[in-house]
PDB file of all heavy atoms in Angstrom:
ATOM      1  N   ILE Z   7      33.559  -9.904 -24.169  1.00 90.00           N
ATOM      2  CA  ILE Z   7      33.806  -8.449 -24.160  1.00 90.00           C
ATOM      3  C   ILE Z   7      33.007  -7.668 -25.198  1.00 90.00           C
ATOM      4  O   ILE Z   7      32.419  -6.629 -24.866  1.00 90.00           O
ATOM      5  CB  ILE Z   7      35.318  -8.177 -24.282  1.00 90.00           C
ATOM      6  CG1 ILE Z   7      36.031  -8.698 -23.024  1.00 90.00           C
ATOM      7  CG2 ILE Z   7      35.583  -6.679 -24.473  1.00 90.00           C
ATOM      8  CD1 ILE Z   7      37.534  -8.586 -23.072  1.00 90.00           C
ATOM      9  N   LEU Z  31      10.839   8.619 -17.899  1.00 72.00           N
ATOM     10  CA  LEU Z  31      10.482   7.325 -18.495  1.00 72.00           C
ATOM     11  C   LEU Z  31      11.219   6.185 -17.817  1.00 72.00           C
ATOM     12  O   LEU Z  31      10.680   5.089 -17.669  1.00 72.00           O
ATOM     13  CB  LEU Z  31      10.790   7.331 -19.998  1.00 72.00           C
ATOM     14  CG  LEU Z  31      10.364   6.102 -20.798  1.00 72.00           C
ATOM     15  CD1 LEU Z  31       8.865   5.870 -20.668  1.00 72.00           C
ATOM     16  CD2 LEU Z  31      10.749   6.247 -22.267  1.00 72.00           C
ATOM     17  N   LEU Z  54      28.723 -10.920 -31.045  1.00 87.00           N
ATOM     18  CA  LEU Z  54      28.118 -10.249 -29.892  1.00 87.00           C
ATOM     19  C   LEU Z  54      27.338 -11.204 -28.988  1.00 87.00           C
ATOM     20  O   LEU Z  54      27.042 -10.871 -27.839  1.00 87.00           O
ATOM     21  CB  LEU Z  54      27.170  -9.132 -30.363  1.00 87.00           C
ATOM     22  CG  LEU Z  54      27.785  -8.005 -31.197  1.00 87.00           C
ATOM     23  CD1 LEU Z  54      26.684  -7.126 -31.776  1.00 87.00           C
ATOM     24  CD2 LEU Z  54      28.736  -7.171 -30.350  1.00 87.00           C
ATOM     25  N   PHE Z  55      27.001 -12.384 -29.498  1.00 86.00           N
ATOM     26  CA  PHE Z  55      26.054 -13.253 -28.807  1.00 86.00           C
ATOM     27  C   PHE Z  55      26.533 -13.698 -27.425  1.00 86.00           C
ATOM     28  O   PHE Z  55      25.769 -13.708 -26.464  1.00 86.00           O
ATOM     29  CB  PHE Z  55      25.730 -14.469 -29.666  1.00 86.00           C
ATOM     30  CG  PHE Z  55      24.979 -14.147 -30.923  1.00 86.00           C
ATOM     31  CD1 PHE Z  55      24.827 -15.089 -31.922  1.00 86.00           C
ATOM     32  CD2 PHE Z  55      24.415 -12.887 -31.112  1.00 86.00           C
ATOM     33  CE1 PHE Z  55      24.124 -14.785 -33.087  1.00 86.00           C
ATOM     34  CE2 PHE Z  55      23.719 -12.566 -32.275  1.00 86.00           C
ATOM     35  CZ  PHE Z  55      23.574 -13.527 -33.259  1.00 86.00           C
ATOM     36  N   PHE Z  92      -2.123  -5.353   3.456  1.00 96.00           N
ATOM     37  CA  PHE Z  92      -2.390  -4.865   2.101  1.00 96.00           C
ATOM     38  C   PHE Z  92      -1.395  -5.456   1.105  1.00 96.00           C
ATOM     39  O   PHE Z  92      -1.787  -5.993   0.064  1.00 96.00           O
ATOM     40  CB  PHE Z  92      -2.322  -3.336   2.075  1.00 96.00           C
ATOM     41  CG  PHE Z  92      -2.192  -2.762   0.689  1.00 96.00           C
ATOM     42  CD1 PHE Z  92      -3.254  -2.819  -0.200  1.00 96.00           C
ATOM     43  CD2 PHE Z  92      -1.003  -2.174   0.285  1.00 96.00           C
ATOM     44  CE1 PHE Z  92      -3.128  -2.299  -1.484  1.00 96.00           C
ATOM     45  CE2 PHE Z  92      -0.869  -1.653  -0.994  1.00 96.00           C
ATOM     46  CZ  PHE Z  92      -1.934  -1.714  -1.882  1.00 96.00           C
ATOM     47  N   THR Z 100      -2.392 -11.210  -6.865  1.00 96.00           N
ATOM     48  CA  THR Z 100      -1.769 -10.982  -8.168  1.00 96.00           C
ATOM     49  C   THR Z 100      -1.195 -12.277  -8.722  1.00 96.00           C
ATOM     50  O   THR Z 100      -1.401 -12.613  -9.895  1.00 96.00           O
ATOM     51  CB  THR Z 100      -0.654  -9.924  -8.049  1.00 96.00           C
ATOM     52  OG1 THR Z 100      -1.233  -8.664  -7.688  1.00 96.00           O
ATOM     53  CG2 THR Z 100       0.091  -9.757  -9.377  1.00 96.00           C
ATOM     54  N   ASN Z 125       5.340  -9.199 -11.736  1.00 94.00           N
ATOM     55  CA  ASN Z 125       4.291  -8.226 -11.414  1.00 94.00           C
ATOM     56  C   ASN Z 125       4.020  -8.131  -9.920  1.00 94.00           C
ATOM     57  O   ASN Z 125       3.730  -7.059  -9.410  1.00 94.00           O
ATOM     58  CB  ASN Z 125       2.999  -8.601 -12.147  1.00 94.00           C
ATOM     59  CG  ASN Z 125       3.030  -8.223 -13.611  1.00 94.00           C
ATOM     60  OD1 ASN Z 125       2.967  -7.058 -13.961  1.00 94.00           O
ATOM     61  ND2 ASN Z 125       3.159  -9.218 -14.476  1.00 94.00           N
ATOM     62  N   LEU Z 163       3.246   6.030 -15.371  1.00 79.00           N
ATOM     63  CA  LEU Z 163       2.697   7.280 -15.885  1.00 79.00           C
ATOM     64  C   LEU Z 163       1.234   7.481 -15.494  1.00 79.00           C
ATOM     65  O   LEU Z 163       0.779   8.612 -15.321  1.00 79.00           O
ATOM     66  CB  LEU Z 163       2.828   7.316 -17.419  1.00 79.00           C
ATOM     67  CG  LEU Z 163       4.261   7.234 -17.961  1.00 79.00           C
ATOM     68  CD1 LEU Z 163       4.248   7.095 -19.473  1.00 79.00           C
ATOM     69  CD2 LEU Z 163       5.069   8.450 -17.543  1.00 79.00           C
ATOM     70  N   LEU Z 164       0.498   6.365 -15.340  1.00 88.00           N
ATOM     71  CA  LEU Z 164      -0.938   6.458 -15.062  1.00 88.00           C
ATOM     72  C   LEU Z 164      -1.266   6.748 -13.603  1.00 88.00           C
ATOM     73  O   LEU Z 164      -2.142   7.570 -13.303  1.00 88.00           O
ATOM     74  CB  LEU Z 164      -1.608   5.136 -15.483  1.00 88.00           C
ATOM     75  CG  LEU Z 164      -3.083   4.950 -15.087  1.00 88.00           C
ATOM     76  CD1 LEU Z 164      -3.962   5.926 -15.864  1.00 88.00           C
ATOM     77  CD2 LEU Z 164      -3.523   3.508 -15.337  1.00 88.00           C
ATOM     78  N   GLN Z 189       5.864  -2.087 -11.042  1.00 85.00           N
ATOM     79  CA  GLN Z 189       6.719  -3.267 -11.074  1.00 85.00           C
ATOM     80  C   GLN Z 189       8.124  -3.063 -10.513  1.00 85.00           C
ATOM     81  O   GLN Z 189       8.523  -3.749  -9.579  1.00 85.00           O
ATOM     82  CB  GLN Z 189       6.792  -3.792 -12.509  1.00 85.00           C
ATOM     83  CG  GLN Z 189       5.599  -4.625 -12.937  1.00 85.00           C
ATOM     84  CD  GLN Z 189       4.319  -3.818 -13.163  1.00 85.00           C
ATOM     85  OE1 GLN Z 189       4.290  -2.614 -13.021  1.00 85.00           O
ATOM     86  NE2 GLN Z 189       3.246  -4.513 -13.508  1.00 85.00           N
ATOM     87  N   SER Z 197       7.443   7.260 -10.511  1.00 81.00           N
ATOM     88  CA  SER Z 197       6.006   7.522 -10.485  1.00 81.00           C
ATOM     89  C   SER Z 197       5.617   8.371  -9.275  1.00 81.00           C
ATOM     90  O   SER Z 197       4.891   9.368  -9.404  1.00 81.00           O
ATOM     91  CB  SER Z 197       5.249   6.195 -10.463  1.00 81.00           C
ATOM     92  OG  SER Z 197       3.856   6.402 -10.489  1.00 81.00           O
ATOM     93  N   MET Z 215       8.781  -3.523   1.100  1.00 85.00           N
ATOM     94  CA  MET Z 215       8.078  -4.667   1.692  1.00 85.00           C
ATOM     95  C   MET Z 215       7.877  -5.757   0.655  1.00 85.00           C
ATOM     96  O   MET Z 215       8.047  -6.958   0.938  1.00 85.00           O
ATOM     97  CB  MET Z 215       6.730  -4.185   2.245  1.00 85.00           C
ATOM     98  CG  MET Z 215       5.888  -5.290   2.866  1.00 85.00           C
ATOM     99  SD  MET Z 215       6.669  -6.034   4.312  1.00 85.00           S
ATOM    100  CE  MET Z 215       5.532  -7.359   4.644  1.00 85.00           C
ATOM    101  N   ARG Z 299      19.006  -9.024 -27.542  1.00 83.00           N
ATOM    102  CA  ARG Z 299      18.830 -10.435 -27.873  1.00 83.00           C
ATOM    103  C   ARG Z 299      17.375 -10.807 -28.195  1.00 83.00           C
ATOM    104  O   ARG Z 299      17.108 -11.908 -28.647  1.00 83.00           O
ATOM    105  CB  ARG Z 299      19.310 -11.306 -26.697  1.00 83.00           C
ATOM    106  CG  ARG Z 299      20.802 -11.253 -26.476  1.00 83.00           C
ATOM    107  CD  ARG Z 299      21.210 -12.035 -25.224  1.00 83.00           C
ATOM    108  NE  ARG Z 299      20.853 -13.432 -25.320  1.00 83.00           N
ATOM    109  CZ  ARG Z 299      21.552 -14.343 -25.997  1.00 83.00           C
ATOM    110  NH1 ARG Z 299      22.635 -13.987 -26.656  1.00 83.00           N
ATOM    111  NH2 ARG Z 299      21.161 -15.608 -26.020  1.00 83.00           N
ATOM    112  N   LEU Z 300      16.444  -9.898 -27.947  1.00 76.00           N
ATOM    113  CA  LEU Z 300      15.043 -10.222 -28.156  1.00 76.00           C
ATOM    114  C   LEU Z 300      14.690 -10.203 -29.639  1.00 76.00           C
ATOM    115  O   LEU Z 300      14.941  -9.229 -30.344  1.00 76.00           O
ATOM    116  CB  LEU Z 300      14.150  -9.239 -27.402  1.00 76.00           C
ATOM    117  CG  LEU Z 300      12.655  -9.600 -27.448  1.00 76.00           C
ATOM    118  CD1 LEU Z 300      12.136  -9.884 -26.048  1.00 76.00           C
ATOM    119  CD2 LEU Z 300      11.842  -8.481 -28.067  1.00 76.00           C
ATOM    120  N   ASN Z 301      14.112 -11.290 -30.119  1.00 73.00           N
ATOM    121  CA  ASN Z 301      13.668 -11.385 -31.513  1.00 73.00           C
ATOM    122  C   ASN Z 301      12.298 -10.741 -31.626  1.00 73.00           C
ATOM    123  O   ASN Z 301      11.303 -11.305 -31.172  1.00 73.00           O
ATOM    124  CB  ASN Z 301      13.622 -12.852 -31.945  1.00 73.00           C
ATOM    125  CG  ASN Z 301      13.341 -13.004 -33.430  1.00 73.00           C
ATOM    126  OD1 ASN Z 301      12.596 -12.234 -34.016  1.00 73.00           O
ATOM    127  ND2 ASN Z 301      13.962 -14.004 -34.036  1.00 73.00           N
ATOM    128  N   ILE Z 306       6.244 -10.178 -31.610  1.00 70.00           N
ATOM    129  CA  ILE Z 306       5.046  -9.651 -32.263  1.00 70.00           C
ATOM    130  C   ILE Z 306       4.054 -10.766 -32.568  1.00 70.00           C
ATOM    131  O   ILE Z 306       2.844 -10.575 -32.516  1.00 70.00           O
ATOM    132  CB  ILE Z 306       5.432  -8.877 -33.544  1.00 70.00           C
ATOM    133  CG1 ILE Z 306       6.163  -7.578 -33.164  1.00 70.00           C
ATOM    134  CG2 ILE Z 306       4.203  -8.559 -34.391  1.00 70.00           C
ATOM    135  CD1 ILE Z 306       6.705  -6.811 -34.330  1.00 70.00           C
TER     136      ILE Z 306
END
Side-chain angles (χ1 to χ4, degrees):
I7 294 175
L31 185 58
L54 300 170
F55 294 168
F92 164 70
T100 295
N125 283 289
L163 299 173
L164 171 68
Q189 280 72 1
S197 182
M215 179 63 186
R299 292 175 60 80
L300 186 117
N301 187 325
I306 291 174

